[in-house]
Amino acid sequence: MSATFTFTIDGKEIKASPGQTIMEAAEAAGVYIPRLCYSKDLRPHGSCRVCTCMVNGRPQAACTQPAAAGMVVDNNTDEIQAIRRDLVDMLFVDGNHFCPFCEKSGNCELQAMAYRLGITAPRFPYLWPERSVDASHPEVFIDRNRCILCGRCVNASKDIDGKNVFQFVGRGEHKRVAVNAEALAADTDLKGADRASMVCPVGAIVLKYKGYATPIGRRIYDQKPIGSEIESRRK
Amino acid sequence: MVTTADKSAGTRKITIEPVTRVEGHGKVTLLLDDKNKVRQARLHIVEFRGFERFIQGRPYWEVPVMVQRLCGICPVSHHLAAAKAMDWIVGGEKLTPTAEKLRRLMHYGQMFQSHALHFFHLVSPDLLFGFDADPAVRNVIGVAAKFPDLAVQGVMMRKFGQEIIKATAGKKIHGTGAIPGGVNKNLSTQERDFFLKDMEQMLVWARSALKIAKDYTAAHLAELKDFGSFESNHLSLVRADGAMDLYHGVLRAVDSQGKKVLNDVDYQGYFQHIAEEVRDWSYMKFPFMKAIGPEAGWYRVGPLARVNTCDFIDTPEADAALKEFKALTGGKPNNITMAYHWARMIETLHSAEKINALLHDKDLQGTDLVVKGPRREEGVGLIEAPRGTLFHHYRVNKQDQVVMANLIVSTTSNNEPMNRAVQKVAQDYISGKPEITEGLLNRIEVAIRAYDPCLSCATHALGRMPLDVEIVDCEGSVVDRRQRD
């Protein structure tokens, strides 16, 4: 194995191994870089851009950009946090997100990210898109109103489940996650136990009959903000 | 009030808009003829929402959390009524003891806080200062200035109930405690002890609030007896043995003389007995008992109806108060509109007694929270909300999506009675008067407030809290209007 090297994030020296992304090296060092589409066990997708950092003065997605010796990374600056707030704000108005009754509330990464970034209300006009719901599957409920196009389900189905159940179709504002069937999820070989059924960061793909089973106060983000589990590793 | 006179027609219309110190947005119109006689008096509900339509397509487990957004005052009622309907959908209607008792605790907490809010914040200014008092004083701030102990009592009672809701539902408003077939948590001993330390004080305050309401009614009986009063049917859930039961039971309705016109009705088939009429001037429907018809089959719900329909109360202090209440009318149903306040405070004491008993019940620390059985595609959930019987009825398809919803909210059932009360007060106090003062118009609001209407719930609509009274000439044009923001 090649020798480790160092670079800096917000002035702090970070150790990294060749091939590690900025995100991976930061996480190992207990530095949290906000992210939504990234999931540790999946190939980085680089689509949400919430992990954007200034790398040697240029904006780069930390989840896809390999770390390099001597790199200077700005993560937690006012300028970058403002960019992240805009990105997350746009995700909220781009879909139909009703946190007050969404079963993912308290466990939702998008909602938790908004809280972490200090977003209390959207600043952009709602687009109120028409999105479909697919309740056909006996174990999984799909609500595209809440989809943020992170691609986790697509990659998990392909790379972990070996099934290719989900795929993106359409372009631009018409882009959406489709199922690999004539019409409905019930016609695919998707199972509730599949990784693809469990990786959704929002409430777009949820297991049926589980909603609200965890009381308020004991949900993932009720006690600590998103990212605090990574920051707690910081020495 | 806004008054617009039509001199050529010799008529005028008075509008009270908005109606104040009620939940939601409504207005009253009074139509006067050329001799200032009231020809028509109507309470209009000017909000519209449409929850019944937009929950279609949503998964059934989402409904108890979603529909409670109808209201911020007693969302627990919608939460629990929807959960009870969904219990049927999942075949879990026979809840575990822990689940049923936790839901009951949540519900009694809500009843306690909602009744306290209504009595101390919304109604006490009329009772303490009089109907004709200066409106600048006749409000909750005036109460806080002149009767600070009472104001604090109201706030603390409401807080206690809200904290119970938080402990059982996760939040004081719009929680998630009830899920299809049960609940998602029990009550820890730490949470229980938090309430037990204040329990005795709550009982003391509930007794004193009951005394205020009872003494007020007794002292002003001559005036209140006919104030907005009329004979009517009364409907509520009662326990199978005839006891008052605010969480569950069978449907019973009595007529103005106490004859049971509905009895022991399983509410899963409520639609065989109750229908709703639509009238073109209000967003709120008019429910009635089918067997009697829309003309005479309308009924009152809420505290007055409940004390009239039940045979007894299963907590000793409230039962003693009930006997005293029933003695006033010789055991016959009480049809005095202003007796709602007395009945409401009997229920407040009953709720406090129930909370006290539940806090001493070890079942609340049980861990068996959810039960499920054979799946159904249709379910009805009824509960006695603070304002009266609340009906939730859903059909769910095989893919778990709601395909039909029908909600009959307490205030909707009280639509006809409130209109009757407005007509009665208008006839008795306004008709033929050369000058219509603020105090006279306030009497209309006093009669409406007795029902503690929640106009937002009743139309399932977004809204403010205010009221609007209009006087219309016989041609239908507005001649007078009183409006408050």
Side-chain angles (χ1 to χ4, degrees), chain B residues 34 51 83 103 107 146 153 158 194 207 242 261 303 313 327 331 344 387 407 411 455 473:
Chain B
D34 53 0
F51 265 72
R103 285 192 190 179
H107 188 47
K146 192 161 180 198
Q153 182 177 329
R158 179 161 154 74
F194 173 78
R207 286 178 202 123
V261 288
I313 298 179
R344 196 170 282 116
R387 289 152 187 83
L407 314 180
T411 297
L455 308 180
D473 66 21

Side-chain angles (χ1 to χ4, degrees), chain A residues 99-103 133-138 141 143 145-146 184 186 206-219, chain B residues 57-63 65-66 68-69 169-171 174-180 183-186 372 375 398-401:
Chain A
C99 300
F101 62 80
C102 178
E103 64 184 271
V133 166
D134 182 349
S136 63
H137 195 279
F141 179 74
D143 186 347
N145 289 290
R146 302 166 179 165
L184 299 170
V206 295
L207 294 178
K208 283 185 166 181
Y209 321 120
K210 306 280 188 197
Y212 316 101
T214 308
I216 294 168
R218 293 183 216 158
R219 301 171 305 182
Chain B
R58 300 310 306 171
Y60 70 77
W61 55 87
E62 205 173 74
V63 173
V65 178
M66 188 180 191
Q68 64 180 334
R69 294 273 164 180
K171 283 164 69 184
H174 302 140
T176 63
I179 55 178
V183 293
N184 65 14
K185 75 183 289 288
N186 64 8
K372 290 190 179 171
R375 172 82 150 72
K398 287 189 166 55
Q399 298 183 353
D400 306 310
Q401 293 168 288

Side-chain angles (χ1 to χ4, degrees), chain B residues 238-410:
Chain B
V238 292
R239 206 166 69 187
D241 62 358
M244 174 183 278
D245 194 334
L246 302 174
Y247 176 76
H248 192 63
V250 289
L251 273 173
R252 177 185 283 183
V254 296
D255 68 14
S256 62
Q257 298 308 304
K259 185 184 155 205
K260 294 186 179 79
V261 288
L262 278 184
N263 198 26
D264 281 335
V265 171
D266 175 357
Y267 64 66
Q268 289 302 317
Y270 81 93
F271 43 84
Q272 292 164 359
H273 304 276
I274 306 283
E276 293 175 280
E277 186 190 7
V278 175
R279 295 182 195 167
D280 60 6
W281 51 271
S282 178
Y283 281 124
M284 191 155 71
K285 294 178 188 171
F286 290 81
F288 61 94
M289 286 179 276
K290 282 183 176 179
I292 308 176
E295 281 300 310
W298 52 273
Y299 53 87
R300 287 195 256 202
V301 297
L304 183 68
R306 289 190 286 250
V307 296
N308 281 332
T309 53
C310 76
D311 300 324
F312 67 99
I313 298 179
D314 67 348
T315 55
E317 293 191 54
D319 191 50
L322 176 72
K323 286 192 172 76
E324 213 173 338
F325 183 93
K326 286 190 181 259
L328 183 72
T329 49
K332 299 261 189 195
N334 185 322
N335 288 295
I336 302 172
T337 291
M338 289 298 280
Y340 259 102
H341 300 304
W342 183 1
R344 196 170 282 116
M345 290 304 102
I346 293 174
E347 290 188 343
T348 305
L349 180 57
H350 171 59
S351 300
E353 289 180 285
K354 282 289 195 186
I355 291 167
N356 189 28
L358 283 166
L359 291 175
H360 289 90
D361 190 327
K362 292 200 183 320
D363 277 345
L364 278 176
Q365 282 77 53
T367 53
D368 197 4
L369 303 181
V370 179
V371 64
K372 290 190 179 171
R375 172 82 150 72
R376 298 189 184 95
E377 295 194 3
E378 186 162 5
V380 176
L382 259 68
I383 198 162
E384 284 300 322
R387 289 152 187 83
T389 316
L390 171 63
F391 300 68
H392 277 221
H393 179 190
Y394 303 97
R395 284 197 203 103
V396 174
N397 66 16
K398 287 189 166 55
Q399 298 183 353
D400 306 310
Q401 293 168 288
V402 174
V403 292
M404 188 286 292
N406 186 40
L407 314 180
I408 307 178
V409 177
S410 328

Side-chain angles (χ1 to χ4, degrees), chain B residues 113-177:
Chain B
Q113 67 85 14
S114 176
H115 280 1
L117 166 71
H118 179 256
F119 188 69
F120 289 98
H121 296 195
L122 306 183
V123 165
S124 73
D126 293 325
L127 310 189
L128 296 170
F129 298 117
F131 304 165
D132 292 303
D134 178 1
V137 176
R138 198 186 61 215
N139 54 55
V140 70
I141 303 297
V143 173
K146 192 161 180 198
F147 305 97
D149 291 350
L150 273 187
V152 168
Q153 182 177 329
V155 170
M156 297 308 285
M157 286 172 76
R158 179 161 154 74
K159 180 172 187 285
F160 183 79
Q162 293 283 60
E163 291 290 351
I164 284 184
I165 295 169
K166 186 182 175 191
T168 50
K171 283 164 69 184
K172 290 175 185 169
I173 303 172
H174 302 140
T176 63

